[in-house]
Amino acid sequence: MLSFDDYSKKYQTIQMSRTDGILEMRLHTNGGPLQWSLLPHGELTRAFHDVGQDYDNEVIILTGTGEAFSGPALGPNGHNHVRHPVTAMEWDKIYFEGKHLLLNLLNIEVPIIAAINGPTLRHAEIPLLSDIVIASDTATFQDSAHFWGGLVPGDGVHVVFPHLMGSNRGRYFLLTGQTINAQEAKEVGLINEILPLENLLPRAWELAHYLKMRSPLLRRYSRVLTTQDLKKKILDLHGYGLALEGLAATHNSNGKV
C-alpha cells in the first residue's frame, strides 16, 4: 500500500490535496488549464495507479484549473496530433501507457466525482468515466485529437463514447469532430448536473461528503460492481484499438499523419 506522501507531490500536471479521506486531483499545466501532451498522458497513467493503491483515499474529486478542463483543440483547421509518421518503437511507449491509463482509473475502488470546469476538448473520456459527473454551464465536449486530428480513435474513446452515448451517437461524435455543450451532454447522458462555475467545486465537495456518510465497504464495492461491465469492454477492445491507431499513425497517403 502507498501513502499520500509517497505520490502526492511527484506529478507536474496534477495538484493533489486530501481532507478527511476526500482526495482532490486538480489537473493543470503550469498553474493554468491542462494542455494535453505526452507528459500528462504518462503522469495520469501512473497517478491513477498510485491513488488506487492508497487505502486511505475514500472519495476522489477530479477537476481542472481555471476556465477549461483540457485542450487545446486540434482538427482539420489546426495542427495534427502527430506531425510525422511514427516508428513502432515511438508508438510502443504510447501503447504501453495508453493500455493502462483507463484501466488504472477504473481500478480505483472508491467513488470518483468529476467536476468539469469548462471546455474538455482533449480526452474527455477520462472525467466522463467518473461515477458522478457534474459540469459548469460553460463546459463543452469534443474529441478533437483523434479522427479530426489525424489519428484513429482507438485509445479508449472508441469504447467509452459509444458505451455512454449509444452506438450511433458515439460514432457520429467521434467521426465528425462534433462539439456538444453542457445541456446537450446532459441530454445524451454524459453528465448529471450543470452548475455555474463558481458553484461547481463546492457541489463536488458536498456530494463527496454525502458519499462519505456511507460505510467504506458499501462505497468501495458499489464502485467495483458498477464499473465491471466497462472494465470488461476496455480489456477486450482497448489494446486492439491502440494497435490500429498506431498502425495508421505510421503512414498515410499524404506522407503526414
Side-chain angles (χ1 to χ4, degrees):
M1 292 292 179
L2 293 177
S3 70
F4 185 67
D5 290 339
D6 291 330
Y7 60 86
S8 59
K9 298 186 185 309
K10 77 180 196 181
Y11 296 109
Q12 297 179 47
T13 60
I14 311 162
Q15 180 180 342
M16 300 191 200
S17 59
R18 189 168 69 191
T19 304
D20 193 27
I22 301 170
L23 173 66
E24 181 180 299
M25 302 177 67
R26 183 186 294 270
L27 309 186
H28 70 97
T29 296
N30 298 323
L34 182 69
Q35 303 297 294
W36 192 263
S37 68
L38 292 179
L39 177 61
H41 187 269
E43 288 203 333
L44 282 168
T45 300
R46 296 186 294 274
F48 289 144
H49 176 267
D50 290 347
V51 166
Q53 293 297 304
D54 184 352
Y55 203 76
D56 291 331
N57 290 322
E58 300 184 60
V59 180
I60 313 297
I61 295 173
L62 181 64
T63 192
T65 301
E67 297 183 349
F69 187 90
S70 64
L74 299 178
N77 298 318
H79 297 296
N80 283 340
H81 193 9
V82 180
R83 295 171 185 256
H84 58 83
V86 298
T87 67
M89 287 306 299
E90 287 173 329
W91 189 258
D92 184 63
K93 185 174 186 294
I94 297 172
Y95 169 79
F96 178 82
E97 292 175 348
K99 69 182 178 181
H100 292 102
L101 174 57
L102 298 186
L103 274 178
N104 286 352
L105 173 57
L106 290 169
N107 281 334
I108 296 173
E109 295 188 350
V110 296
I112 302 177
I113 300 166
I116 300 174
N117 54 299
T120 308
L121 310 179
R122 303 281 292 276
H123 288 281
E125 76 280 5
I126 292 173
L128 293 176
L129 283 175
S130 301
D131 304 288
I132 295 174
V133 185
I134 62 176
S136 72
D137 52 15
T138 59
T140 57
F141 300 86
Q142 184 188 25
D143 181 49
S144 71
H146 290 103
F147 191 80
W148 282 100
L151 289 174
V152 172
D155 63 353
V157 294
H158 66 301
V159 179
V160 175
F161 285 103
H163 177 86
L164 295 178
M165 302 172 75
S167 179
N168 283 1
R169 283 193 190 120
R171 287 179 290 170
Y172 179 89
F173 178 80
L174 295 173
L175 295 178
T176 64
Q178 179 188 24
T179 301
I180 61 176
N181 62 32
Q183 185 58 46
E184 292 170 315
K186 185 177 180 185
E187 289 170 359
V188 300
L190 293 181
I191 66 175
N192 308 116
E193 298 181 13
I194 303 171
L195 301 104
L197 180 57
E198 62 270 20
N199 296 341
L200 183 70
L201 203 54
R203 175 57 175 159
W205 277 88
E206 178 184 9
L207 288 164
H209 286 297
Y210 171 78
L211 295 175
K212 274 269 295 174
M213 294 170 61
R214 304 300 180 183
S215 73
L217 291 186
L218 177 59
R219 291 194 306 268
R220 183 174 291 275
Y221 294 162
S222 294
R223 161 76 174 174
V224 171
L225 179 63
T226 57
T227 57
Q228 187 65 23
D229 180 56
L230 188 50
K231 285 169 71 173
K232 288 169 61 177
K233 289 183 178 181
I234 293 290
L235 282 168
D236 285 345
L237 299 171
H238 196 186
Y240 179 56
L242 280 164
L244 293 180
E245 184 177 343
L247 181 63
T250 63
H251 171 77
N252 83 10
S253 59
N254 296 321
K256 181 180 180 182
V257 177

